[in-house]
Each structure stands twice: as structure tokens, then as C-alpha cells.
């Protein structure tokens, strides 16, 4: 009986840990640091596609666990929640690119919806339209589209209400100084 | 009523009579002359206004009304290249988010207008006066509302800083800019506008000075944070874009007109590490996912 209680306590702890740790995927090669700073010691190099557990988020950093043994910090944008299969695809030109983008498209559900008969292609593309350099330069201004675009404009009240409904709270954040790249 | 008051009233009465007699005389004898003079003055005023406008535009002092008119004409050119996605809930969603972010900016009173345009290319464009579009190709890459906010905030920053307005001004002849700052209403007027629009939209194919892109990245993350979004979502978007190779032709114009993604990521990381002051990282509100689900499931 005593051991049964001990076992259930252990199980409870595991469930609690599980509620915090979430499956995540390294989406681009990342350094795992000892602390949330790139000045700290590098523990490990993680390859694209590595599955990890996300434990904590702190600013632009995420604390992760790898192989159920090593914990450390990686830049938050290099880890995405969920189990993502990232395939390296070969292009004819010889270059490789990861299919993170096609994963995002699939996740957005818009591309896949074309199969269900709904398609954004409903707006027929008339004549030479498109956003290549040449097409941009020679486009005929479409004022009917402008009128349509303006009909969707929001306003002060509507935008504020929508922000509130989405749990968005305005915060006073000061602008940052110019970086060297801007000079 | 004493004598003094009475004399005051009499005086006032006399003044009134004189004025009315004078105006009657004017009605009778000088009306045509007066009309002509007024007409001439009006013409002179319009000429002066026109001259002032050209001068203002040339010296960089473009007023808000002219800026909005230029922006409307320029965005019409881009809409001519790729029309709006025919989906009202999607357009309204993007407009509400964009407007809310713009309210946190230094120019909340511009007529902020947003749109998703039909193109598999990955790009977003900001036109003067607060007209902003992003392509469906880019929208489909987004995972949450913070990422959408990151892109809109970057474009809003271009408008706030008048990057495109200045670029169009610097590359256009004064007359072109003056003519572009007109609200095209009649059909004839709009047809005339094509040449002007074509010459000004070149900036979107050529791209801005790269330092303005870094500037819009820097200001954009702060605007998104002010609006209550996770400011690090901009880095998420840039990383996603970075995962698409240059061999993918949906990125050609974007890559030609923007600084290398690796450098944008590194620059933003460093800036945000050192200078971003935020109180907490908000959790995603799952709204973008719900909107997309609704769009995808509706016949």
C-alpha cells in the first residue's frame, strides 16, 4: 500500500511537470546556452528538426530540455511549439531549403481548404497581373479595388473593442536607439 | 431712456441706413464688376495654392492631405498588380489589428487602411498616408496574431517615417508629385493617372535604402509591444522567411528589395537584448487560428 502511494505521488509529479513542459521543435540550427544570454557557455549545438521540451519562456529566450537529460536556453525564434517534421527539399537549382514554410502553410489551413472546394482563387486574375518587378512597374491602377479596400477600414472604437476581446493591453514601451545598420 | 442713449441709437440707425443704401447702389451698378473681381481673386488664390503646393512638395513639406492622395493613387497601382483577396472576414480582421497597432503610433489619425492581396509571392507594401497591403503568400506563413502584428507594425513604421513618400519625392519631378497629390475622381482623371502611378510604384520594385528597413524593424517591434503583442514574433517571421531559399521564386522581389534576413535577425536580436523594455510576454490569443479555421471551413 505504501509503495502504491509513493508511485501515485511520483505519477502526480510527472503529470505536473508535463503540464509545464511542451513538445517543441528546433526549426533552425541553434546553440543551447547555459543561461539566457549568448555571452554564457554553449552546452550543445542543436540541429534543425530536433525535438525538445519547452519548459519556460523568458523574453527572447526559451528554456528547453533535450534528450530528457540536458537543459539549457535557446533563442525563442529558433524553437516552435509542437512536433514539426522539417524535411530538407532539394530544388533543381541544387540549393536546399527546409520546408518550414510549407508546414506553416499547412498549419494555416488555407491551402488545404482548396480541396474542400473553397479557394482564394475566386478572384480571377485578369490580364498581366502579379507582383514580379515588371508587373509592378506596369500595373494599371485599380480604383475599384481601392474603394473596396477603404470599405473595410476600421475605426477607433471598433479597433479598441476588438483589441479588448483579444486580451490585448496597450503598454508604454519606449523606442529603441538606432543600430549600426541604420547609420 | 435718457438723451444720451437716444442719440446713440439714432447714430446707429443712420449708420445702418448708409450701409444699406451703399449696398443697394452696389447691387444696381457694380455687381458685374464686383463678380469679375471676385473671380479674378479666386483664380489668383488657386494659382498661388498650386504654386505653394509644388514648392512644398519640392522642399519636402508635403501636407497630410497631399500625402493621403499620393498614397491612394500609389496603392491603386499595387492593387492593379494584385487585387484584394475576395474574403470579407479576412480583410476586416487584418484592418482591425492594423488600426489598433496604428493607434499606438505617433500618427494615430491617418486613415489607416489594410488589405490582403491575391498573390503567392511573399511580400508586404506600405503606401503613404496609411495604406498597407500584404500578400496572401505571406499571410499563409503566419502562425499567430503576434506574427501578423509584427508585419503590420513594420509597414506602419515605414508610413510613420514617410520612407516611401520621401523616396517618391526624391525620384519624381515636381509636376509629377503635384499631379499625384490629387484625388482622382472622374474616369478621365483616373486614366490620366496611370503614367504617374507607374513612375511612382517603381520604388516598390527597386526597394528602399536598406537602412530604412532596419529602421522599420526597430520601430515595428516596439509598436507591436505597445499594442500588447509578443514583440519577439518579428524574429519568428524573419526566421520562417529565412527557411525559404533564394531558389524559391515567390521570394525574388522581397529578397531583392530587403537586407539579408540573417543580418536583420542578428541586428534585431542585439537591439532587443540591450534596449527593449517590456513588462511581460503575452500569451497568444489564438485568434488568427480561429479566423483561418472559419475562413477555411466556410463554403
Amino acid at each position: 500500500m505504501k509503495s502504491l502511494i509513493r508511485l501515485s505521488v511520483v505519477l502526480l509529479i510527472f503529470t505536473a511537470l508535463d503540464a509545464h513542459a511542451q513538445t517543441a521543435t528546433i526549426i533552425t540550427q541553434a546553440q543551447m546556452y547555459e543561461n539566457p544570454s549568448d555571452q554564457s557557455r554553449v552546452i550543445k549545438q542543436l540541429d534543425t528538426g530536433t525535438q525538445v521540451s519547452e519548459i519556460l519562456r523568458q523574453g527572447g529566450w526559451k528554456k528547453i530540455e533535450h534528450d530528457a537529460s540536458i537543459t539549457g536556453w535557446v533563442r525563442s525564434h529558433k524553437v516552435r511549439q509542437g512536433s514539426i517534421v522539417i524535411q530538407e527539399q532539394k530544388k533543381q537549382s541544387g540549393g536546399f531549403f527546409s520546408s518550414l514554410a510549407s508546414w506553416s502553410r499547412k498549419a494555416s489551413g488555407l491551402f488545404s481548404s482548396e480541396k474542400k472546394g473553397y479557394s482564394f482563387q475566386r478572384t480571377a486574375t485578369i490580364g498581366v497581373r502579379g507582383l514580379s518587378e515588371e508587373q509592378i512597374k506596369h500595373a494599371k491602377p485599380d480604383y475599384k479595388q481601392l474603394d473596396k479596400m477603404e470599405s473595410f477600414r476600421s475605426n477607433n472604437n471598433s479597433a479598441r473593442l476588438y483589441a479588448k476581446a483579444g486580451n490585448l493591453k496597450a503598454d508604454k514601451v519606449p523606442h529603441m536607439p538606432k543600430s549600426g545598420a541604420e547609420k | 431712456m435718457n438723451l444720451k442713449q437716444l442719440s446713440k441709437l439714432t447714430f446707429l440707425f443712420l449708420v445702418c441706413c448708409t450701409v444699406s443704401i451703399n449696398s443697394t447702389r452696389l447691387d444696381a451698378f457694380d455687381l458685374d464688376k464686383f463678380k469679375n473681381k471676385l473671380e479674378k481673386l479666386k483664380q489668383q488664390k488657386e494659382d498661388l495654392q498650386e504654386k505653394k503646393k509644388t514648392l512644398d512638395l519640392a522642399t519636402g513639406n508635403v501636407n497630410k492631405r497631399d500625402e493621403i492622395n499620393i498614397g491612394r493613387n500609389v496603392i491603386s497601382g499595387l492593387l492593379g498588380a494584385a487585387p484584394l483577396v475576395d474574403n470579407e472576414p479576412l480583410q476586416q480582421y487584418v484592418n482591425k489589428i492594423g488600426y489598433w497597432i496604428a493607434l499606438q503610433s505617433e500618427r494615430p489619425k491617418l486613415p489607416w487602411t489594410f488589405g490582403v492581396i491575391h498573390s503567392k509571392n511573399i511580400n508586404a507594401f506600405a503606401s503613404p498616408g496609411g495604406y498597407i497591403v500584404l500578400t496572401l503568400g505571406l499571410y499563409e506563413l503566419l502562425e499567430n496574431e503576434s506574427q501578423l502584428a509584427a508585419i503590420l507594425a513594420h509597414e506602419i513604421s515605414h508610413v510613420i517615417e514617410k520612407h516611401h513618400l520621401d523616396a517618391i519625392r526624391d525620384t519624381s519631378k515636381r509636376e509629377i508629385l503635384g499631379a499625384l497629390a490629387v484625388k482622382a475622381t472622374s474616369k478621365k482623371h483616373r486614366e490620366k493617372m496611370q503614367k504617374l502611378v507607374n513612375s511612382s510604384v517603381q520604388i516598390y520594385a527597386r526597394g528602399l535604402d536598406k537602412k530604412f528597413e532596419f529602421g522599420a524593424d526597430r520601430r515595428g517591434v516596439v509598436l507591436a509591444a505597445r499594442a500588447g503583442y509578443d514583440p519577439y514574433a518579428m524574429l519568428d517571421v524573419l526566421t520562417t522567411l529565412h527557411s525559404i531559399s533564394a531558389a524559391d521564386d515567390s521570394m525574388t522581389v522581397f529578397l531583392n528589395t530587403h537586407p539579408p534576413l540573417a543580418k536583420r535577425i542578428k541586428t534585431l536580436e542585439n537591439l532587443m537584448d540591450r534596449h527593449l523594455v517590456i513588462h511581460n510576454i503575452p500569451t497568444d490569443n489564438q485568434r488568427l487560428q480561429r479566423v483561418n479555421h472559419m475562413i477555411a471551413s466556410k463554403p
Side-chain angles (χ1 to χ4, degrees):
Chain A
M1 184 65 197
K2 211 174 176 183
S3 63
L4 193 67
I5 291 171
R6 201 174 288 162
L7 180 70
S8 52
V9 167
V10 170
L11 274 177
L12 268 175
I13 290 169
F14 266 106
T15 335
L17 273 178
D18 227 284
H20 287 284
Q22 280 178 311
T23 311
T25 309
I26 300 290
I27 55 139
T28 183
Q29 204 176 59
Q31 315 264 44
M32 190 188 204
Y33 295 95
E34 195 168 23
N35 296 305
S37 157
D38 53 14
Q39 304 296 312
S40 77
R41 190 171 68 90
V42 176
I43 302 173
K44 201 174 166 42
Q45 176 114 336
L46 298 168
D47 286 331
T48 307
T50 309
Q51 302 279 312
V52 296
S53 295
E54 186 183 321
I55 302 165
L56 192 70
R57 166 88 189 264
Q58 187 181 307
W61 293 87
K62 280 174 182 166
K63 189 176 187 180
I64 56 158
E65 188 184 61
H66 175 56
D67 268 354
S69 56
I70 319 163
T71 55
W73 297 81
V74 290
R75 290 272 181 194
S76 65
H77 61 93
K78 297 186 174 183
V79 196
R80 299 286 157 92
Q81 273 180 18
S83 174
I84 305 163
V85 180
I86 297 178
Q87 297 158 333
E88 297 284 330
Q89 290 180 4
K90 195 175 182 186
K91 292 285 280 190
Q92 280 184 332
S93 56
F96 284 87
F97 76 99
S98 77
S99 63
L100 171 68
S102 61
W103 163 77
S104 292
R105 285 187 182 119
K106 240 178 254 165
S108 79
L110 298 179
F111 254 79
S112 55
S113 65
E114 285 175 16
K115 286 182 213 131
K116 290 179 216 157
Y118 182 85
S119 165
F120 279 119
Q121 307 286 354
R122 257 196 293 180
T123 322
T125 37
I126 309 149
V128 211
R129 281 180 157 185
L131 291 173
S132 76
E133 197 177 325
E134 280 311 299
Q135 286 162 327
I136 289 175
K137 283 179 186 168
H138 296 110
K140 193 177 171 202
D142 191 332
Y143 290 97
K144 272 198 184 136
Q145 285 285 312
L146 171 68
D147 292 342
K148 198 173 164 190
M149 186 175 165
E150 287 184 324
S151 77
F152 295 126
R153 187 187 291 148
S154 186
N155 58 54
N156 220 317
N157 273 347
S158 158
R160 281 180 202 282
L161 281 173
Y162 199 66
K164 204 176 169 190
N167 300 320
L168 301 168
K169 285 184 197 82
D171 194 359
K172 283 189 177 125
V173 184
H175 273 299
M176 301 184 287
K178 282 184 183 178
S179 69
E182 280 182 66
K183 284 161 195 163
Chain B
M1 191 182 285
N2 60 30
L3 199 68
K4 210 173 177 184
Q5 279 174 318
L6 191 70
S7 65
K8 247 188 191 171
L9 266 178
T10 320
F11 176 73
L12 270 176
F13 177 75
L14 281 172
V15 168
C16 287
C17 283
T18 324
V19 169
S20 76
I21 287 167
N22 269 340
S23 60
T24 320
R25 268 183 58 200
L26 189 76
D27 274 347
F29 307 108
D30 294 333
L31 194 62
D32 282 346
K33 222 176 174 181
F34 182 71
K35 263 186 180 169
N36 280 340
K37 201 158 193 183
L38 198 69
E39 208 52 50
K40 255 188 191 166
L41 276 171
K42 260 188 188 168
Q43 191 59 45
Q44 275 176 357
K45 190 185 160 202
E46 272 171 26
D47 287 350
L48 274 173
Q49 275 176 341
E50 198 59 41
K51 273 184 189 155
K52 185 179 178 295
K53 193 177 195 170
T54 315
L55 192 73
D56 281 351
L57 292 171
T59 51
N61 186 15
V62 183
N63 68 36
K64 193 171 133 187
R65 202 184 55 198
D66 289 346
E67 181 187 351
I68 293 166
N69 283 334
I70 292 170
R72 292 177 88 246
N73 287 316
V74 169
I75 202 75
S76 300
L78 288 169
L79 289 168
L84 292 169
V85 172
D86 188 17
N87 191 290
E88 213 173 305
L90 175 70
Q91 302 294 355
Q92 277 169 348
Y93 174 57
V94 172
N95 269 282
K96 280 177 191 158
I97 304 304
Y99 206 97
W100 164 246
I101 300 164
L103 284 178
Q104 323 301 321
S105 79
E106 292 78 5
R107 305 182 75 191
K109 287 187 175 161
L110 283 177
W112 295 99
T113 315
F114 303 83
V116 182
I117 54 174
H118 202 296
S119 170
K120 281 192 176 176
N121 275 293
I122 293 162
N123 220 334
F125 305 93
S127 183
Y131 290 84
I132 287 164
V133 290
L134 74 153
T135 63
L136 184 59
L138 177 54
Y139 179 83
E140 277 172 327
L141 291 177
L142 305 175
E143 296 160 74
N144 53 52
E145 198 168 287
S146 285
Q147 293 185 6
L148 172 62
I151 289 167
L152 298 179
H154 172 99
E155 298 304 326
I156 288 168
S157 300
H158 278 311
V159 176
I160 303 288
E161 295 287 285
K162 301 184 180 174
H163 289 154
H164 293 92
L165 184 66
D166 289 350
I168 293 169
R169 186 200 60 216
D170 294 346
T171 53
S172 305
K173 287 182 182 152
R174 278 179 215 179
E175 308 86 73
I176 290 184
L177 199 64
L180 203 60
V182 167
K183 192 169 182 175
T185 40
S186 69
K187 203 181 165 192
K188 213 174 159 188
H189 210 157
R190 288 179 167 190
E191 275 165 9
K192 260 190 178 171
M193 203 57 97
Q194 179 166 2
K195 243 183 160 174
L196 303 172
V197 170
N198 284 163
S199 83
S200 61
V201 292
Q202 307 244 354
I203 185 68
Y204 297 94
R206 207 169 43 233
L208 292 166
D209 188 319
K210 303 288 180 277
K211 69 180 176 198
F212 295 139
E213 294 301 339
F214 287 109
D217 282 348
R218 170 175 59 83
R219 299 180 73 93
V221 293
V222 169
L223 279 191
R226 284 183 187 172
Y229 290 106
D230 176 357
Y232 292 92
M234 182 59 177
L235 285 167
D236 292 357
V237 176
L238 294 175
T239 308
T240 302
L241 294 178
H242 197 33
S243 80
I244 304 168
S245 119
D248 191 321
D249 56 14
S250 65
M251 290 278 283
T252 311
V253 176
F254 176 87
L255 291 172
N256 286 343
T257 54
H258 288 77
L261 283 157
K263 192 175 178 197
R264 288 176 75 183
I265 292 169
K266 197 80 219 147
T267 307
L268 255 192
E269 275 180 356
N270 286 339
L271 263 182
M272 292 169 84
D273 276 355
R274 268 185 263 159
H275 302 290
L276 189 71
V277 187
I278 46 165
H279 303 105
N280 62 329
I281 300 278
T283 45
D284 178 36
N285 61 18
Q286 299 286 309
R287 202 153 51 178
L288 181 123
Q289 297 86 326
R290 283 203 297 276
V291 168
N292 286 356
H293 183 75
M294 191 186 76
I295 294 167
S297 57
K298 247 186 186 166

